[in-house]
Amino acid sequence: MDIADLNELWDRVTGTQPRPETWLVLATAALALAAVLPFGVWRWTRNTITIAHEGGHGLIALLAGRQLSGIRLHSDTSGLTVSRGKPTGPGMVLTAVAGYPAPSLLGLAGAALLSAGRTTALLWGATGLLLALLVMVRNAYGVLTVVLTCASFVLVSWLTEPDVQAAFAYLVVWFLLLGGVRPVFELHGRRRRRHRGGQGAGSDADQLAGLTGVPAWVWLILFHVVTLASLSGGARWLLDG
């Protein structure tokens, strides 16, 4: 690949693409909603949200100076991120708090890129993040899930027309924004049914309560605020352009 090819590639990534028609933006929003609301569909699509959730834990752990040991993604859509370092303190708190907001914040960042016409940058950026995550995945199911997700971005980026790329990008961003909201409500429901026991115990909110002394319900409210605010802001960017 010569300099001219590299320049062309760079221009393609950093350039802007036309905004799709409003009907396509609304159609992708409807498709994303259909992938989040029905439980039979959600049990499969939730894997993508788990990838973002655990990736959020891992990224913040590294930024906080912790040593990331590995990430595991399971077929029941649960996940586990293991990092080494001081078991208490700001670094551990930031790592624990990062999971639930991560999909919504990624969706918000994606909406900002799409509103600026940066469809290709979004697709390539997502591919890079998935490849970085793949290095840290430590189980076969997790590797398969990340590889398939990454492959979908690569294939769409290289083999499809701009209209298809835009539709795919908008669908992904809508799904992150909408899908980031549901797990927090699910956690809230589990805690309400089994207060600090059963499935509620050991959640990120409980871990944060143990680390900070701030009640778990306060952290749940924080998760709700971040995910719902991201959905509101991201939707405005996507619809207004």
Side-chain angles (χ1 to χ4, degrees):
M1 182 177 291
D2 57 26
I3 298 298
D5 292 333
L6 289 175
N7 289 335
E8 181 181 353
L9 183 62
W10 178 252
D11 290 340
R12 178 183 175 188
V13 173
T14 59
T16 60
Q17 292 76 42
R19 172 180 165 80
E21 298 290 337
T22 301
W23 71 265
L24 182 60
V25 178
L26 294 174
T28 55
L31 285 174
L33 195 62
V36 171
L37 288 183
F39 177 76
V41 178
W42 175 244
R43 63 182 296 186
W44 296 103
T45 58
R46 196 184 194 280
N47 282 291
T48 305
I49 299 299
T50 302
I51 291 173
H53 179 114
E54 300 303 330
H57 282 311
L59 175 61
I60 298 303
L62 291 173
L63 293 177
R66 299 180 63 81
Q67 180 181 353
L68 185 59
S69 300
I71 295 172
R72 301 179 70 87
L73 305 169
H74 304 132
S75 58
D76 63 355
T77 73
S78 65
L80 177 66
T81 299
V82 179
S83 62
R84 297 178 181 177
K86 187 178 178 181
T88 59
M92 188 63 197
V93 172
L94 290 173
T95 299
V97 82
Y100 278 99
S104 296
L105 293 176
L106 285 172
L108 185 62
L113 286 173
L114 292 180
S115 70
R118 309 284 183 178
T119 304
T120 303
L122 184 149
L123 295 175
W124 283 48
T127 302
L129 289 175
L130 287 166
L131 289 173
L133 177 66
L134 182 61
V135 175
M136 298 309 303
V137 176
R138 294 292 183 264
N139 66 318
Y141 180 82
V143 169
L144 176 63
T145 301
V146 176
V147 166
L148 290 177
T149 305
C150 186
S152 67
F153 279 89
V154 172
L155 292 175
V156 169
S157 298
W158 283 99
L159 301 180
T160 64
E161 297 298 321
D163 288 346
V164 177
Q165 294 177 12
F168 180 78
Y170 273 82
L171 177 61
V172 168
V173 171
W174 277 119
F175 178 73
L176 287 172
L177 291 170
L178 293 166
V181 172
R182 179 163 179 171
V184 183
F185 279 97
E186 291 176 339
L187 176 59
H188 203 154
R190 289 197 300 269
R191 288 190 53 81
R192 185 167 54 187
R193 290 190 299 269
R194 298 182 180 182
H195 181 61
R196 299 196 63 82
Q199 295 181 9
S203 68
D204 291 356
D206 290 293
Q207 292 180 32
L208 286 162
L211 287 167
T212 65
V214 177
W217 64 265
V218 175
W219 295 105
L220 276 172
I221 291 175
L222 175 64
F223 295 158
H224 279 303
V225 169
V226 173
T227 56
L228 291 172
S230 296
L231 174 58
S232 176
R236 180 173 299 180
W237 274 335
L238 293 174
L239 294 171
D240 293 346

